Amino acid sequence: MREPAAPAGAWEPVIGLEVHVQLATASKIFCGCATAYGAPPNTQICPICLGYPGALPVLNAGAVELAARAALALGCEVHPRSIFARKHYFYPDLPKGYQISQYDRPLATGGALAIRLDDGSAKSIGITRVHLEEDAGKSTHGADGTRVDFNRCGLPLIEVVSEPDLASPREAFLYLSALKRSLEYLAVSDCNMEEGSLRCDANVSLRPRGESRLGTKTEVKNVNSFRYVEAALAFEIERQAAILERGEAVVHETLLWDAGRGEARAMRSKELSHDYRYFPEPDLEPLDLDAAWLAEIREGLPEGPAARADRFVEAYGLPEYDAGVLTATRPLADWFEAAAAAFDDPKEVSNWVMGEVLRLANERGETVALAPEPRPLAPAALAQLLALKAAGTISGSVAKEVLAEMVETGTGAAEIVRERGLAQVSDAAALAAEVDAVIAAHPGEVAAFRGGKQGLIGFFMGQVMKRTGGQANPQLVNALLRQKLAG
Ligand SMILES: [Zn+2]
């Protein structure tokens, strides 16, 4: 990623992120309409989410539970009472003329999320608040006019607002990655960015290095990939630095990132918060949460990715690097643990998962590693393969070949080795004959070896392997060669 050019060096970027996350409930937040993605436009709507006069919202308890789970996992204090509020603005995809959100009494405040910087050090990013709200509809602008799909209206969201603790576009990227990973582990959202389940607005301002007061910020909206967030922030930092270098003032405004052009353009001047005319939603009771219920949610929180990586280092003796790769997603971490339970050499399992298994999964376009369709590779199947290798029945290179076939056909390792006659040749008499043949065929190399060119052992090994189709036991061949060449 491009870092800001020279002038920006004098300026310190201050970045905060607002992330909207769609909660993984089957129905909407205030009505019973379905939330499934991709339904034909305006087929998942009702008088409540369309905001008909007199229709009354009813809060979805499942959404509250997922939101509480996320807030607790992010270390927030979840308040015993929070209040829903109407946030007024006019837009064609908002039929009520207001969005039900939370304002001065949000669900939760005061958390933190740790990110690991590129130099390996950890940095804690403050979480200002986590609140519940409903989504708006979606306008599509085409040649024949604008069409509005209200299916999104009333989808349950949490908004996770960070403190302005991020000091570079790269840190913003790392924070978003860590947040997404945590939320996926918690199963509170599918975090599918292409489907809009996770969206990010970024606030950025510059100030002279060493200054503690904040400069005027701008907001970059509608960024739907982490790489775009990074690029949009780098662009905006350079733009603001150039303005400040000229001695001019940055204007408080909202910008829209255009990924195609690689630039941010002004959208509208940012409304101040009082322009939204927030007031408590009269149709909803305050959200009162029982302390015992919250304690139960906290008890039931799954192990997060960072804690799991620490445990992988402790319990399996893995390097931190391995632990980081293996805990990238919960399915991958689960898969590794199942394989490690079936084969008693965690580092060997780790090497194979990080190497061949992920490579094969990627090759097959699998985003959830280790489930190459249509024949997912079972952890126990890898364990069986590694057992054959550990017993010396097959060599490492044959094992790779067998694994590829296992993924391709769904056949077990032992069966492939038996059917294709891949078992390693460990019959000393048979190998001795091959070694003799190689020695007889290369008198020049034999003389050179005996004259001191010890490196030629690799050449002889290669010749024997060639004659045996790679199935000779390499330790045995090496011993035989050294014995016969010495004579
Ligand atoms: Zn509805």
Side-chain angles (χ1 to χ4, degrees), residues 259-280:
R261 290 180 170 192
E263 63 179 34
R265 286 194 311 276
M267 199 163 88
R268 58 179 175 199
S269 42
K270 171 84 178 152
E271 299 104 312
L272 296 170
S273 57
H274 64 252
D275 284 345
Y276 288 126
R277 294 177 293 120
Y278 278 102
F279 64 75

Side-chain angles (χ1 to χ4, degrees), residues 28 31-33 44-50 153:
K28 294 186 179 180
C31 63
C33 291
Q44 297 176 163
I45 52 176
C46 75
I48 296 172
C49 52
L50 287 180
C153 274

Side-chain angles (χ1 to χ4, degrees), residues 37-63:
Y37 180 81
N42 300 312
T43 55
Q44 297 176 163
I45 52 176
C46 75
I48 296 172
C49 52
L50 287 180
Y52 281 19
L56 288 175
V58 177
L59 180 59
N60 179 343

